[in-house]
Amino acid sequence: MTEMNIGDIVTGIYKTGKYIGEVTDIRSQAYLVRVLAVLKHPTQGDLHHPKETDGVFFQERRALAYREQTNVPKQMVKPFDEEIPDYNESLMSALKKMRQDLQEKGTPWAEKSIENLDILEKDYFRN
């Protein structure tokens, strides 16, 4: 595992989302990462019962906001050396990709997830 330094640009997986960010602090088990872009939008639904809709709390899962900071476990952080995309463009791209993947599945879980993404998208881009 590569050790990161404060100021390094990295990718990090937090829960089920993947982000590009800057390391702002080093903790014993995690890096504090400031979000700069979204690579993968978080999965919708109940994380303890993935891809299920019956009898579970189907949670709406938002992407981390621009410049929001979060602790990412060290093993989930990797160096990133490409150009950092615009946050809003990266979020839109991640939503589009997730929606396409869900439409191909066509399951009740996928349909419910798309409903959540529609609500989130309106909230994210309401300006």
Side-chain angles (χ1 to χ4, degrees), residues 62-98:
R62 298 180 64 82
L64 296 174
Y66 179 63
R67 297 185 62 80
E68 181 175 353
Q69 296 196 74
T70 190
N71 287 303
V72 181
K74 286 185 174 182
Q75 67 270 23
M76 299 301 213
V77 174
K78 305 280 185 269
F80 184 78
D81 60 2
E82 298 171 34
E83 185 174 332
I84 302 168
D86 173 77
Y87 177 84
N88 285 332
E89 289 175 13
S90 71
L91 177 57
M92 182 68 78
S93 177
L95 281 167
K96 183 179 176 185
K97 167 102 173 75
M98 179 166 274

